């Protein structure tokens, strides 16, 4: 008998039929002898709808009221799922985040969990009932309702699995697991049976949309075993665990991200303190800077390029223009048409030649590399946005990610 925390995403509870299927699923798990706690997202695209509604009504959109509004989506879903369970003869109770014991800070729309006190959830389990918890929400130290941000239900599920000492946290979604790359871009993409936390974190940081990065971080910190799987079948999905890749793949995945833009500040004086001044100003303006490249200086000046989220380019431009003279720069330009393509694999730490193969593959495909950055287990290249999908496709092929690791050629 296992204790499982099962999270169902928006699509999986998207309509009355889907909700009944989730209930049927729970019936099967209970027959097998497992204890389950459910965490649910808002139905379908309801969170988007609520956000749009707020836009239509208000320009100020106070954080407290926004959180009250958005968390209503999950609250509705958890009540409906609980009803469907009761109809099947399974005693079940729904819980808001607050009732489930999620204590958070007071940062509305992006609240962080401070503590989980799952007393009521544990009591419900002890009585043989199935608790259904509204995801992505809690109560602040000021006793206000808080929302964890987009994708926060994954975080609820992981935190609850840890607090209850569950055997695993299952994230049910509309895809069957974690793939070697986006299957919409490369049809031969393979579902992985297993991936390490570190690799999945790099993937989620570089464009893999699910699971939410914050939940993967939390799962790694607390050693919560994650299973990303399909809500539409019983086929096992992808296990996310501490172990290095059991298949001993050198490369695990290729990701791409088109959400960033590039900014170049040119003619910056090459003297100590200039980069510090530039990036301090950007940090103070809350600009989230990522890859940074500084060119070799010529005649005492240099160019600095970095990437940043698209939506922050106006802020960044204003910030840089305000200090252009102080840092001796000649100006700045932004470029929205870029994409970042990344190769991820724990095995690259001990296998030379991965970068060379990556660059050769892109060059053979006629794709120009504009910036490069690396971590111990990732190599990222900035390319033209229009070439991102072909870059992903040629890299997936070159590293033979469509084959099981044991069948791939040596690099
Ligand atoms: N429903 C929220 C969202 O779409 C939170 C979640 O389900 O993770 O972001
Ligand atoms: Mg872009």
């Amino acid at each position: 008998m296992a204790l499982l925390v099962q999270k169902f995403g928006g699509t999986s509870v998207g309509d009355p039929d889907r909700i009944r299927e989730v209930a049927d699923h729970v019936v099967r798990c209970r027959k097998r002898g497992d204890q389950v706690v459910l965490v649910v997202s808002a139905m379908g695209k309801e969170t988007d709808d609520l956000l749009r509604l707020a836009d239509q009504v208000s320009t100020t959109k106070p954080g407290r009221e926004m959180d009250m509004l958005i968390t209503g989506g999950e609250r509705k879903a958890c009540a409906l799922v609980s009803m469907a369970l009761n109809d099947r003869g399974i005693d079940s109770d729904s819980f808001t985040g607050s009732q489930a014991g999620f204590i958070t800070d007071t940062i509305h729309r992006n609240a962080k969990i401070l503590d989980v006190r799952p007393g009521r959830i544990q009591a419900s389990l002890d009585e043989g009932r199935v608790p259904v918890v509204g995801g992505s929400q809690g109560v602040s130290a000021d006793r206000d309702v808080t929302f964890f941000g987009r994708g926060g239900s994954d975080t609820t599920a992981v935190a609850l699995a840890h607090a209850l000492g569950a055997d695993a946290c299952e994230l049910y979604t509309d895809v069957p697991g974690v793939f070697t790359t986006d299957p919409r871009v490369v049809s031969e993409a393979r579902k992985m049976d297993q991936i390490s936390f570190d690799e999945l974190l790099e993937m989620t940081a570089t464009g893999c949309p699910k699971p939410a990065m914050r939940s993967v971080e939390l799962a790694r910190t607390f050693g919560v075993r994650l299973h990303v799987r399909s809500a539409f079948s019983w086929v096992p999905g992808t296990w996310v665990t501490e172990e290095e890749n059991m298949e001993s793949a050198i490369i695990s995945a290729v990701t791409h991200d088109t959400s960033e833009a590039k900014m170049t500040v040119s003619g910056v004086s090459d003297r100590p303190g200039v980069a510090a001044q530039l990036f301090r100003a950007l940090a103070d303006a809350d600009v989230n800077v990522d890859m940074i490249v500084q060119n070799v200086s010529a005649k005492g000046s240099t160019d600095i390029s970095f990437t940043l989220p698209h939506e922050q380019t106006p802020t960044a431009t204003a910030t840089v223009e305000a200090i252009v003279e102080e840092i001796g720069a000649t100006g700045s330009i932004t470029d929205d048409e870029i994409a970042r393509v990344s190769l991820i694999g724990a095995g690259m730490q001990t296998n030379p030649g991965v970068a060379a193969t990556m660059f050769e593959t892109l060059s053979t495909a006629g794709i120009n590399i504009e910036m490069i950055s690396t971590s111990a287990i990732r190599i990222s290249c900035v390319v033209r946005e229009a070439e991102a999908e072909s870059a992903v496709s040629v890299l997936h092929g070159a590293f033979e990610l469509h084959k099981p690791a044991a069948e791939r050629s040596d690099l």
Side-chain angles (χ1 to χ4, degrees):
M1 192 182 87
L3 171 58
L4 303 172
V5 173
Q6 302 184 329
K7 177 256 172 178
F8 287 89
T11 321
S12 321
V13 293
D15 59 43
D17 285 336
R18 299 292 314 149
I19 288 179
R20 282 191 291 264
E21 278 167 44
V22 168
D24 291 337
H25 175 93
V26 173
V27 170
R28 288 191 292 267
C29 293
R30 297 258 296 191
K31 282 214 179 96
R32 205 169 59 190
D34 292 335
Q35 272 186 306
V36 275
V37 177
L38 299 184
V39 172
V40 294
S41 296
M43 293 171 67
K45 298 261 171 270
E46 180 150 30
T47 307
D48 293 322
D49 294 342
L50 292 171
L51 288 168
R52 215 169 303 123
L53 213 59
D55 278 333
Q56 287 164 10
V57 170
S58 166
T59 49
T60 55
K61 296 189 286 182
R64 183 183 183 281
E65 305 317 322
M66 286 302 288
D67 286 9
M68 196 70 141
L69 175 73
I70 306 171
T71 54
E74 277 75 18
R75 183 164 175 164
K76 170 172 146 188
C78 70
L80 289 168
V81 169
S82 188
M83 285 180 202
L85 284 168
N86 279 291
D87 274 25
R88 276 154 186 72
I90 294 187
D91 294 328
S92 164
D93 314 294
S94 61
F95 294 93
T96 63
S98 164
Q99 291 173 324
F102 281 83
I103 317 295
T104 73
D105 62 16
T106 54
I107 311 297
H108 285 292
R109 300 191 66 171
N110 195 22
K112 298 274 175 300
I113 301 171
L114 300 178
D115 195 13
V116 185
R117 300 173 192 160
R120 292 190 67 183
I121 305 300
Q122 189 61 58
S124 174
L125 278 172
D126 292 345
E127 288 168 24
R129 303 170 71 87
V130 174
V132 187
V133 179
S136 201
Q137 54 182 279
V139 62
S140 73
D142 293 345
R143 284 180 292 159
D144 284 324
V145 172
T146 47
F147 181 61
F148 300 172
R150 302 311 305 266
S153 294
D154 291 352
T155 306
T156 298
V158 170
L160 201 52
H162 170 62
L164 294 168
D167 296 287
C169 177
E170 302 186 319
L171 303 177
Y172 286 86
T173 104
D174 49 2
V175 290
V178 182
F179 281 76
T180 49
T181 196
D182 186 341
R184 288 167 302 188
V185 175
V186 181
S187 57
E188 300 89 59
R190 264 178 76 247
K191 189 192 80 187
M192 290 179 264
D193 296 331
Q194 188 260 344
I195 189 162
S196 67
F197 283 120
D198 289 343
E199 288 170 309
L200 185 58
L201 267 180
E202 291 278 8
M203 286 179 72
T204 56
T206 56
C208 174
K210 285 176 190 172
M213 181 163 153
R214 198 169 141 194
S215 70
V216 181
E217 260 165 353
L218 201 64
R220 179 176 64 173
T221 305
F222 293 120
V224 173
R225 297 174 75 231
L226 276 185
H227 189 182
V228 182
R229 59 189 303 180
S230 167
F232 305 103
S233 82
W234 277 97
V235 181
T238 304
W239 280 98
V240 191
T241 55
E242 206 59 73
E243 300 97 74
E244 293 279 286
N245 206 310
M246 288 186 288
E247 300 178 336
S248 68
I250 296 172
I251 300 303
S252 292
V254 190
T255 55
H256 75 292
D257 179 5
T258 54
S259 68
E260 297 209 316
K262 179 173 82 168
M263 182 162 199
T264 303
V265 186
S266 36
V268 182
S269 338
D270 193 12
R271 55 178 163 80
V274 167
Q277 200 178 348
L278 172 62
F279 289 103
R280 168 55 60 205
L282 289 164
D284 289 345
D286 267 335
V287 176
N288 210 345
V289 169
D290 197 7
M291 290 165 85
I292 302 174
V293 172
Q294 176 173 332
N295 285 338
V296 196
S297 80
K299 302 199 191 81
S301 73
T302 181
D303 294 345
I304 298 179
S305 295
F306 54 89
T307 62
L308 70 168
H310 272 184
E311 63 278 11
Q312 293 186 334
T313 53
T315 314
T317 304
T319 307
V320 171
E321 291 308 322
I323 57 164
V324 140
E325 278 174 19
E326 281 176 63
I327 59 176
T330 51
S332 72
I333 45 164
T334 55
D335 178 352
D336 280 343
E337 317 263 279
I338 60 145
R340 170 154 56 150
V341 176
S342 307
L343 203 57
I344 290 134
M348 70 172 71
Q349 294 175 97
T350 46
N351 285 273
V354 174
T357 306
M358 181 180 191
F359 304 154
E360 280 160 8
T361 305
L362 293 175
S363 118
T364 307
I367 297 170
N368 187 45
I369 302 170
E370 300 179 23
M371 292 167 93
I372 300 169
S373 81
T374 62
S375 81
I377 62 167
R378 173 185 52 77
I379 307 172
S380 297
C381 295
V382 167
V383 301
R384 287 289 92 205
E385 185 166 358
E387 293 177 329
E389 295 197 353
S390 56
V392 168
S393 169
V394 292
L395 291 170
H396 196 269
F399 288 93
E400 302 182 338
L401 301 187
H402 54 286
K403 294 184 187 169
E407 292 168 24
R408 291 178 197 161
S409 329
D410 288 338
L411 287 175

